Amino acid sequence: MDKESTAPLFFVDDDGSTDAAIQATADDVCVVDEPPTLAEAKRLIPAESFHVDTATSLLYFCADFLAVGASMGFLNAVVHSDFYSQMSMPIQALMVAPLQVLMGFAMWCMWCIGHDAGHTTVSKNRAVGPAINRVVGEIAHSMICLTPFVPWRSSHLKHHIGHNHLTRDFSHQWFIREERDDLHPLIKASHATRNVQLPILYLVYLLIGIPDGGHVVFYGRMWEGQSLKQKLNAAVSVAVSVATATSLWMTMGTADFAVICLAPWLVMSFWLFMVTYLQHHSDDGKLYTDDDSWSFERGAFQTVDRDYGKLINRLSHHMMDGHVVHHLFFTRVPHYRLEEATRSLVRGMEERGQSYLYKQIDTPDFTQEIVRQFNDNWFFVDEKQIVRK
């Protein structure tokens, strides 16, 4: 059995520093409209939910690795079959589309494992945990999902630190609907073309760096204050992604690379954007503008748990239906503990008479929901959703 360390109840940056701004307090007084503190929320959840078991984590990693490999191998076999080569291009597209969707979903599931690695919840072993998290992250994200692991980890952890803060939240951009006439013309043009953007938004996020900064070329706010050593460390992940993509492209050729790799990657990126968007957008969601109105706990309880259906929830490692707990304890609870931890949190909130603070939405029609939400709201929020000082 691993000798697991006890992770702190506060954020640990990738350079080992801590952010005391979200350190939990031990205040037991329940203010009706105030969410529980981290210490209070922790007591609502079983202690075993905070146990990170390296062997279990690696088992899930291996399972998803095999799923990606098998789906990619099958797709590759079909593309190189005599039957496929004899078909017209439209028929070929119809033949491979279901396999591309399947492979893209498998990649999304693997992305979720890399997500755990980014939060150090694949392993907490004092001796080898950091190395295990890094290797799993590089394989899952940099290689399989062509997402440079360390740059993504850096911006994503900043998202957790500033969740639902109007200006400090990373990974999301927020615009106040009533101020849309004052937006830059390029932003207005982006809003006007929003309905054709969904498949490529993650690519725009990684390459162009909207809104956080580039994850391949290092510029933008996510790199402010980063040392040369940190940038070189991040460059390793970029090199892994570029080398993987280049080797596949050169080996397969442009046409096969597009069919076997690029199309499933776009499916994966659609899943990623859809889940991320829907977990942080709801009709009654609130955004905070300053430290007097915002707190880590308030931001966490603006996160939305969504039920996509039991099978998809499980295959996606409870990324959707366990998101509130994840935002409360993002360096503590691994994905395979989220389901039970969420049930316990819900019971505890009911006992506290605060169940109304927990957001949960059944979303079985998730593809229709993201299209509807993005068309109706894009990145706009109403002024009434803004909590000011």
Side-chain angles (χ1 to χ4, degrees), residues 213-282:
H215 290 69
V216 178
V217 178
F218 301 160
Y219 67 93
R221 65 173 183 159
M222 65 177 281
W223 298 104
E224 294 174 359
Q226 295 284 313
S227 68
L228 177 61
K229 181 180 178 180
Q230 289 172 315
K231 290 180 180 179
L232 289 174
N233 185 38
V236 173
S237 295
V238 175
V240 171
S241 290
V242 171
T244 301
T246 302
S247 61
L248 288 170
W249 191 354
M250 293 181 65
T251 301
M252 293 180 171
T254 300
D256 285 356
F257 178 77
V259 172
I260 299 171
C261 298
L262 182 57
W265 188 91
L266 290 173
V267 173
M268 178 214 73
S269 67
F270 175 82
W271 270 97
L272 176 54
F273 180 82
M274 174 177 66
V275 170
T276 304
Y277 184 95
L278 292 179
Q279 304 307 135
H280 295 280
H281 290 78
S282 60

Side-chain angles (χ1 to χ4, degrees), residues 299-316:
F301 275 94
Q302 292 306 314
T303 301
V304 184
D305 278 352
R306 289 184 180 266
D307 185 356
Y308 284 38
K310 184 173 292 187
L311 179 61
I312 293 179
N313 290 341
R314 288 184 176 179
L315 291 175
S316 300

Side-chain angles (χ1 to χ4, degrees), residues 24 60 65 76 87 89 171 178 186-187 189 191 206 210 212 250 273 324 341-342 378:
Y60 279 102
F65 186 89
N76 182 70
M87 298 295 105
M89 188 173 294
S171 304
E178 288 79 357
L186 289 177
I187 296 177
H191 174 250
L206 290 179
I210 299 174
D212 300 333
M250 293 181 65
F273 180 82
V324 174
T342 297
W378 191 56

Side-chain angles (χ1 to χ4, degrees), residues 170-233:
F170 275 60
S171 304
H172 298 276
Q173 53 186 348
W174 311 93
F175 302 110
I176 299 174
R177 197 183 305 270
E178 288 79 357
E179 299 175 358
R180 59 186 170 187
D181 291 339
D182 300 327
L183 294 175
H184 190 281
L186 289 177
I187 296 177
K188 291 181 179 179
S190 179
H191 174 250
T193 59
R194 64 194 179 279
N195 290 323
V196 298
Q197 296 173 10
L198 281 175
I200 63 169
L201 282 170
Y202 186 53
L203 182 64
V204 171
Y205 176 69
L206 290 179
L207 295 182
I208 300 178
I210 299 174
D212 300 333
H215 290 69
V216 178
V217 178
F218 301 160
Y219 67 93
R221 65 173 183 159
M222 65 177 281
W223 298 104
E224 294 174 359
Q226 295 284 313
S227 68
L228 177 61
K229 181 180 178 180
Q230 289 172 315
K231 290 180 180 179
L232 289 174
N233 185 38

